[in-house]
Amino acid sequence: MLGVSRRGLSTLRSRAYSPILRSLATIAEKNKYKVLVVGGGSGGLSVAQQIYDRFAAAGNPLEAGDIAIADGADYHYYQPGWTLVGSGLRPKTDFRAPLAPLVPKHIAYIPENVKSFSPKTSSVTTVTGRDLAYDALVVATGLQINWDSIKGLSKALGDPNSGVSSIYSYDTCDKVWDDVEGLRSGQAIFTQPAGIIKCAGAPQKIMWMAWDRYRRTDRSDKIKVDFYSGMPTMFSVKKYSDALDALRVERGVGGHFGHNLVAIDSPNHRATFKKADGSMVDVDYTLLHVTPSMGPLDLVKGSPIADSAGWVDINKSTLRHNNSDYGNIFALGDCSSLPTSKTAAAITAQAPVLAENLFSVMETGKVSGAEYDGYTSCPLLTGYGELMLAEFKYGLEPKESFSDFFDQAKSHRFVQ
């Protein structure tokens, strides 16, 4: 394993879980809540606490159990950490924690998944048939990874000798490191699909980390690294895309754009890509890192609160539902229709706006002046101890925090 500093990574991990590692939340038994949050991921946990704090700050504190989080998952996963697992920097167990202890004790915890939304009656139904009513609803369910959209992928991921892996699952992120570290020569291919995915920079983060690992261990002259993307460019924001493409050329990484992975023949180590013109091309690989296509959860997609694409249909500024009849519904994070990159950083900017507007609606019937501008961020790891910090907002316009101190469109070392 590389001898790089772990201090910064330890801080990152502790921050991921430190805010609410408290007493085990009360298992909720009542069926009506002032605020019901569906989803106990980073978005749901964060916004539930911020809503509670906002009422308290106004001198109108909510009672314990007035806010509830409904989620049937046993564990909470800090998914940005999976890139570090695939890079050999952390064990995957560092990025998983039991969900129940993460829910604050003053927030009711409902250990069930929701199976349907009934916005006309301000209620949801869980998988056990339990009806939960609410005054206000926050949807933070995340999105769905479509593993079966690529023929042969699931089989390949389960085969330790296939050379196929993905950082997009807790079950497979450690296989990425096994494959990267085990490769001595051949063709290493990293893919990204067209369309919406969570953390759109992650497919190339793991590629850059692998490239750097090969460079540091004197394997770069024996391993060819290629990036196959269904997108037309390296990144959606031109400023960063141009810089990343220049880095790709400088490092000798092949770039194949408009190529969507559609099938894997793992016994023969062959990947099939569909090009923008509809033609197919077969490519042999030794290592294949796959980013599957993603989309809205079936739970949301077929519900009355979804837009035509299947995302929760909310105003891009206020995060309140666009249907005035559903004005007590809000959403944030990956499940929402917000036209910005789906990242944990985006959630940190969305949650305070949602909390403020939900509070205002419940107190006055109207949203406040709080608006979300689409801010999101992608710390693009470009090697061990270095990154390019991409920050932008709606319209793919850069919104940078540190441009007065360094050029954010360049890769910088942060660990010596």
Side-chain angles (χ1 to χ4, degrees):
M1 190 164 298
L2 292 173
V4 300
S5 171
R6 299 325 199 253
R7 182 172 58 185
L9 296 176
S10 178
T11 300
L12 169 71
R13 179 170 55 89
S14 64
R15 284 179 180 173
Y17 293 131
S18 62
I20 43 183
L21 277 171
R22 304 180 184 176
S23 301
L24 184 66
T26 302
I27 301 297
E29 295 182 353
K30 65 180 185 179
N31 293 318
K32 174 68 184 293
Y33 301 92
K34 288 188 180 297
V35 180
L36 176 62
V37 179
V38 179
S42 297
L45 289 170
S46 175
V47 79
Q49 181 62 43
Q50 291 189 43
I51 292 168
Y52 182 87
D53 290 343
R54 182 62 184 90
F55 277 89
N60 185 22
L62 297 176
E63 298 291 334
D66 280 348
I67 301 175
I69 291 176
D71 194 318
D74 293 326
Y75 294 96
H76 171 80
Y77 298 93
Y78 183 67
Q79 297 179 40
W82 294 347
T83 300
L84 305 181
V85 177
S87 303
L89 291 172
R90 287 286 180 184
K92 67 181 182 180
T93 50
D94 279 4
F95 302 106
R96 183 180 80 166
L99 175 57
L102 295 177
V103 180
K105 59 185 178 181
H106 49 271
I107 305 250
Y109 171 49
I110 304 168
E112 297 185 44
N113 287 324
V114 167
K115 71 174 182 180
S116 64
F117 298 95
S118 301
K120 291 183 178 179
T121 58
S122 292
S123 65
V124 303
T125 302
T126 70
V127 292
T128 64
R130 180 179 173 188
D131 292 324
L132 304 172
Y134 55 80
D135 292 331
L137 176 70
V138 178
V139 186
T141 54
L143 53 64
Q144 177 173 292
I145 298 181
N146 299 317
W147 298 102
D148 292 335
S149 64
I150 300 170
K151 183 180 178 182
L153 174 58
S154 296
K155 176 184 176 182
L157 289 172
D159 179 357
N161 300 313
S162 68
V164 179
S165 60
S166 178
I167 58 168
Y168 276 90
S169 166
Y170 180 82
D171 293 334
T172 63
C173 59
D174 50 348
K175 189 175 189 288
V176 177
W177 173 246
D178 291 341
D179 287 353
V180 167
E181 187 64 358
L183 187 63
R184 291 294 176 265
S185 63
Q187 177 78 51
I189 292 176
F190 297 80
T191 76
Q192 177 171 344
I196 294 172
I197 62 171
K198 62 173 76 180
C199 192
Q204 59 181 294
K205 287 181 191 179
I206 191 61
M207 176 185 74
W208 295 127
M209 297 298 277
W211 178 91
D212 195 29
R213 179 62 180 172
Y214 299 144
R215 178 185 67 85
R216 290 169 177 252
T217 52
D218 298 323
R219 286 180 276 170
S220 56
D221 61 335
K222 303 179 184 68
I223 298 172
K224 179 69 171 69
V225 177
D226 282 280
F227 186 51
Y228 279 78
S229 174
M231 304 299 288
T233 59
M234 287 291 289
F235 200 73
S236 58
V237 180
K238 187 177 187 305
K239 176 179 181 178
Y240 307 120
S241 182
D242 289 347
L244 288 164
D245 201 55
L247 185 67
R248 178 188 65 77
V249 173
E250 175 189 329
R251 292 181 170 182
V253 172
H256 307 267
F257 303 100
H259 285 67
N260 268 307
L261 179 65
V262 295
I264 300 170
D265 178 1
S266 55
N268 294 306
H269 280 221
R270 183 167 298 124
T272 300
F273 294 88
K274 185 176 183 179
K275 298 171 66 174
D277 62 6
S279 62
M280 301 289 187
V281 57
D282 291 334
V283 181
D284 293 333
Y285 68 84
T286 316
L287 177 152
L288 179 65
H289 178 271
V290 178
T291 302
S293 66
M294 303 174 199
L297 285 166
D298 292 338
L299 161 68
V300 174
K301 185 164 50 178
S303 76
I305 65 173
D307 64 10
S308 59
W311 307 104
V312 183
D313 186 15
I314 57 172
N315 181 279
K316 73 174 189 177
S317 299
T318 67
L319 281 67
R320 188 186 191 188
H321 205 280
N322 279 319
N323 186 334
S324 59
D325 291 336
Y326 306 156
N328 61 342
I329 296 177
F330 296 79
L332 80 167
D334 295 353
C335 70
S336 75
S337 62
L338 298 173
T340 193
S341 186
K342 297 181 183 295
T343 68
I347 289 171
T348 65
Q350 293 164 16
V353 173
L354 189 155
E356 185 65 31
N357 282 324
L358 183 147
F359 167 79
S360 182
V361 167
M362 292 188 72
E363 292 291 295
T364 71
K366 299 179 180 179
V367 296
S368 70
E371 292 190 345
Y372 172 58
D373 65 1
Y375 174 82
T376 189
S377 173
C378 182
L380 278 155
L381 299 174
T382 51
Y384 288 85
E386 63 181 88
L387 63 76
M388 180 186 299
L389 181 56
E391 295 180 288
F392 52 101
K393 60 182 181 178
Y394 288 142
L396 303 178
E397 179 182 343
K399 183 185 179 182
E400 298 178 339
S401 303
F402 305 101
S403 57
D404 289 343
F405 305 99
F406 59 86
D407 183 353
Q408 291 188 215
K410 289 185 178 179
S411 179
H412 296 272
R413 292 200 61 79
F414 62 92
V415 176
Q416 296 301 322

